[in-house]
Amino acid sequence: MQFEPDFADPTEWATMYRDHGLQVVPAMSPREDAKQWKRPIIPWRGLENELVPDFTFERWYGDAGEHSRRNNMGLIAGACSNRIFVVDLDIHKHDGAKGWWLEMQDQQTQAGQLETVEQVTGGGGLQLFFRAPEGWTPPTCKTSIGVDIRGQGGFAMLPPSMHESGKRYWWKAGHEPWEMEFADAPQWLCDAITDLAIKFGGASGVNRVTGEREVTSSTGYTTNAFGMITDGREAYMAKVVWAAVVDAKRDCPITLSKADSTALMMEAFANYERHTRNRLNIPGFSNAELLEREGRGISLFMDKWEAAVDQWHDKVAKASE
């Protein structure tokens, strides 16, 4: 049956996405959280690897389902959605995004190689949906040039969701998922995305190596299947730093020397790094290197350590009693 977007209710939209193998989940609306509404309204960590069973989908979108009247919905990208990932282009705001995408178009080895399912966001950006090749895990990252990648475990809002602007997300005419296939990402595009993440991938604050200011988000406190922290890493980092500095005060009440402070800091960072995991998943780079690229690595750790040591004689002293 032909999908009729002008007359479809939320259940029909969600069913259409699921029929295309996408992990569609109910999402928040701007009126529910004006600042951080672009996220699922359900607990979603743990849903990244396989499509939810029918009974879960029915609970959300079946007859009298919990979210059967909720227009806002979104995609969890990656393995659970048949390897679909999203290239988010803020070309209306960033010349860098426009330039990067023009470069990608110039690299096409055949006409229309990048023609794929495409939507316009309520904020005016473009999002293109590709299928990752077997054996390549697309990163999930924000960049400083207005190109974001929603790869494994990433999230993107979908039509008919309402944006805070009052405009809906909508599919570009002729590029709707019911009108064309999701394009398989060519290897050269995958390589370009990997390079993009390495060169411009987000960081919180100023990267001590590059001197560039970049931003990524942290959306909660969860662990992966191996017990490694993937969300809430900055909060965990703060706890590790504070505990280590307070313990150092208990062991040695006098002010730490520069050498001793550095040694203790590196020991504490090693402990932090053992219990956290990056979300870029770029082959050839260590976990510590990719944590740094996300702004959850040694640069931020050093900043927090210095801030804690600066409180050595008051708050640290009091906490060590």
Side-chain angles (χ1 to χ4, degrees):
M1 180 182 296
Q2 179 68 29
F3 179 70
E4 298 291 346
D6 293 336
F7 305 101
D9 62 22
T11 292
E12 291 170 320
W13 276 98
T15 300
M16 179 273 293
Y17 291 135
R18 185 173 173 84
D19 287 345
H20 283 83
L22 305 182
Q23 185 83 297
V24 58
V25 297
M28 300 185 72
S29 67
R31 69 175 181 274
E32 290 168 316
D33 189 330
K35 294 183 178 180
Q36 298 185 8
W37 57 272
K38 295 180 183 179
R39 61 176 62 189
I41 199 168
I42 59 168
W44 63 295
R45 290 302 180 187
L47 303 180
E48 304 102 320
N49 296 315
E50 59 184 6
L51 203 62
V52 297
D54 289 342
F55 71 83
T56 300
F57 183 79
E58 286 297 314
R59 189 175 76 245
W60 295 340
Y61 291 112
D63 293 338
E66 297 172 10
H67 304 285
S68 60
R69 296 179 180 272
R70 176 177 291 274
N71 282 310
N72 276 31
M73 59 186 68
L75 162 81
I76 299 178
C80 61
S81 291
N82 275 324
R83 308 193 311 280
I84 296 299
F85 69 96
V86 183
V87 178
D88 187 332
L89 302 167
D90 280 340
I91 59 176
H92 60 308
K93 296 180 181 178
H94 294 274
D95 288 339
K98 184 183 299 184
W100 184 82
W101 187 241
L102 286 174
E103 182 181 345
M104 296 304 101
Q105 292 174 321
D106 287 343
Q107 290 187 34
Q108 292 185 99
T109 58
Q110 60 190 52
Q113 191 176 32
L114 297 180
E115 288 292 309
T116 190
V117 174
E118 181 177 344
Q119 75 166 335
V120 180
T121 73
L126 298 178
Q127 292 184 336
L128 296 95
F129 294 68
F130 293 93
R131 193 180 309 279
E134 293 277 6
W136 181 71
T137 301
T140 293
C141 68
K142 293 181 178 293
T143 74
S144 58
I145 64 169
V147 181
D148 298 341
I149 307 299
R150 315 291 172 81
Q152 177 60 28
F155 180 74
M157 301 293 289
L158 294 174
S161 298
M162 181 69 73
H163 190 269
E164 61 188 351
S165 66
K167 298 179 180 180
R168 291 197 182 277
Y169 290 72
W170 75 95
W171 293 109
K172 183 178 177 181
H175 292 254
E176 303 95 336
W178 59 89
E179 293 290 348
M180 70 182 305
E181 297 291 328
F182 293 93
D184 293 329
Q187 187 58 53
W188 62 261
L189 177 62
C190 300
D191 294 341
I193 288 173
T194 297
D195 289 343
L196 176 79
I198 293 171
K199 293 177 181 177
F200 302 106
S204 176
V206 176
N207 186 299
R208 292 180 185 272
V209 177
T210 66
E212 297 176 346
R213 181 176 294 276
E214 303 162 329
V215 178
T216 58
S217 62
S218 183
T219 56
Y221 187 91
T222 56
T223 59
N224 63 15
F226 302 99
M228 307 292 283
I229 296 170
T230 55
D231 281 334
R233 292 165 297 176
E234 186 170 349
Y236 176 69
M237 180 189 292
K239 291 180 180 179
V240 170
V241 168
W242 187 250
V245 172
V246 170
D247 284 346
K249 178 69 173 178
R250 290 194 182 108
D251 293 339
C252 181
I254 63 173
T255 302
L256 289 172
S257 68
K258 180 73 172 179
D260 287 343
S261 179
T262 298
L264 288 171
M265 181 192 70
M266 295 309 297
E267 180 179 343
F269 178 76
N271 178 47
Y272 160 82
E273 196 266 331
R274 281 195 299 271
H275 292 87
T276 55
R277 184 60 52 191
N278 74 84
R279 297 190 299 190
L280 294 178
N281 298 315
I282 302 174
F285 291 82
S286 69
N287 183 49
E289 289 173 321
L290 293 178
L291 284 171
E292 176 66 5
R293 293 187 185 280
E294 286 188 294
R296 302 296 186 270
I298 188 62
S299 293
L300 185 62
F301 198 95
M302 291 172 68
D303 290 340
K304 290 185 180 299
W305 184 271
E306 291 170 4
V309 171
D310 285 344
Q311 302 174 75
W312 185 263
H313 296 293
D314 41 65
K315 291 185 179 180
V316 173
K318 185 175 181 179
S320 67
E321 295 176 352

